[in-house]
Amino acid sequence: MSSYNMVKQEFIKKWITTLHILDCSVEHPLNVTERKNAIKLSSDIAMAAARSSSTVWSRALISRSGNKTANKPMARRVLKKARNRMKNRCLTLRRNGNFTAKSGVRRRTELLKRLVPGGELIENKDYLIRETLDYIVYLRAQVDVMRTVAAVDSVTGNLTNDNN
Amino acid sequence: MSNRRSSRQSSSAPRISDDQMIDLVTKLRQILPEIGQRRRSDKVSASKVLQETCNYIRSLNREVDNLSERLSQLLESVDEDSPEAAVIRSLLM
């Protein structure tokens, strides 16, 4: 099995878990927006949990998700599980004030740092690039799996039509 | 090649080294076929590669958002006995 397929497998396993926990914790019925946020939250946490604590982006994503849902007790259960597995590492965030990058590379690097979770904490360029590549692989896996699940609709739609 | 780049950038700004850039481009080429087709040599500018990477991450995030929306609507319209519900149930169990 290719390593990419293993990434997807790991993501699916974690996503099933996070969906279950969220499903048990929320008060039904949910409106469309609430459900969408729950799906997205569970998906992001699953993606980070699939990577475990060995990357900055996965740890940052988990803590970022925690900040977003501080008021929702349901998310805490999911996050507690994920957080317990994550090691605590202090990374100091250094701010450069209002420095605007002049050269294209510098400016775009700053943009990239903001896109990758925890990227702003990474000073070393080499490290940032490795984190970026890792993050992209998992992001792609997340998209591929969600796309497959969403395609269930069109597949079974055809089945229903055939039976009729 | 590196001379041109160093003359354009200030020495105080941390640069991505050529090796890192080549490594990044190689790996990105496997993921983004569009970059690879445009230029074969390692003269692809660092700025361009970073831009493509940022655009790619943004588009992936947008897609996750859209898919979450679609899945939410899909689950909304699923009634208990439909074949969709059976498939989803088997997926999640």
Side-chain angles (χ1 to χ4, degrees):
Chain A
M1 190 185 287
S2 80
S3 65
Y4 183 60
N5 282 334
M6 293 199 303
V7 167
K8 285 202 279 187
Q9 278 249 316
E10 197 57 35
F11 170 73
I12 291 173
K13 269 193 263 181
K14 293 291 196 285
W15 196 24
I16 289 172
T17 308
T18 54
L19 280 171
H20 269 304
I21 294 178
L22 272 176
D23 189 47
C24 298
S25 323
V26 298
E27 299 196 5
H28 296 272
L30 294 169
N31 65 33
V32 178
T33 311
E34 284 170 338
R35 193 180 294 116
K36 173 203 167 179
N37 292 336
I39 290 173
K40 186 141 186 259
L41 175 66
S42 64
S43 179
D44 283 342
I45 295 174
M47 177 173 74
R51 192 57 180 97
S52 83
S53 53
S54 27
T55 52
V56 172
W57 71 259
S58 59
R59 295 198 298 272
L61 188 53
I62 291 272
S63 66
R64 180 210 282 176
S65 304
N67 290 338
K68 266 196 209 148
T69 59
N71 299 328
K72 299 184 189 169
M74 58 156 167
R76 288 225 194 94
R77 279 178 59 187
V78 185
L79 291 168
K80 227 197 317 170
K81 258 193 162 190
R83 270 215 186 105
N84 284 339
R85 289 199 212 108
M86 300 233 158
K87 294 184 217 141
N88 255 336
R89 267 213 251 163
C90 275
L91 290 169
T92 26
L93 177 66
R94 279 193 263 158
R95 297 232 176 254
N96 290 323
N98 289 328
F99 172 77
T100 36
K102 289 200 178 128
S103 81
V105 173
R106 186 63 197 273
R107 180 168 47 91
R108 297 217 158 98
T109 306
E110 295 302 311
L111 282 174
L112 180 64
K113 278 183 168 186
R114 267 179 245 141
L115 281 172
V116 175
E120 287 154 333
L121 303 167
I122 301 174
E123 291 292 328
N124 184 297
K125 283 294 171 57
D126 187 35
Y127 198 37
L128 175 66
I129 291 174
R130 274 188 278 133
E131 284 275 325
T132 306
L133 290 169
D134 194 84
Y135 178 55
I136 288 179
V137 171
Y138 276 77
L139 208 45
R140 274 234 312 197
Q142 181 190 38
V143 167
D144 280 347
V145 171
M146 288 178 83
R147 215 187 269 149
T148 308
V149 175
V152 161
D153 185 28
S154 48
V155 170
T156 53
N158 291 333
L159 283 176
T160 331
N161 290 334
D162 287 347
N163 287 337
N164 292 341
Chain B
M1 168 189 57
S2 55
N3 290 333
R4 245 194 338 159
R5 248 188 268 160
S6 47
S7 61
R8 256 192 281 147
Q9 294 169 356
S10 64
S11 49
S12 58
R15 300 182 301 144
I16 298 182
S17 77
D18 294 346
D19 287 341
Q20 290 167 341
M21 191 45 53
I22 292 170
D23 194 38
L24 173 61
V25 172
T26 312
K27 296 217 172 81
L28 276 177
R29 266 195 205 141
Q30 295 162 6
I31 300 175
L32 297 168
E34 304 88 58
I35 288 186
Q37 276 153 25
R38 217 174 288 138
R39 272 189 262 198
R40 264 221 60 219
S41 72
D42 50 14
K43 288 207 200 101
V44 182
S45 75
S47 181
K48 193 68 182 175
V49 171
L50 286 167
Q51 181 186 30
E52 292 290 336
T53 311
C54 288
N55 290 341
Y56 190 50
I57 292 178
R58 262 188 234 117
S59 75
L60 286 174
N61 281 328
R62 239 180 291 132
E63 206 170 343
V64 169
D65 203 68
N66 291 338
L67 286 167
S68 300
E69 179 83 44
R70 255 179 74 190
L71 284 170
S72 175
Q73 288 164 348
L74 163 64
L75 290 170
E76 172 105 315
S77 57
V78 166
D79 69 291
E80 286 298 304
D81 301 325
S82 67
E84 285 95 346
V87 175
I88 293 173
R89 237 175 273 130
S90 67
L91 257 177
L92 294 175
M93 297 305 167

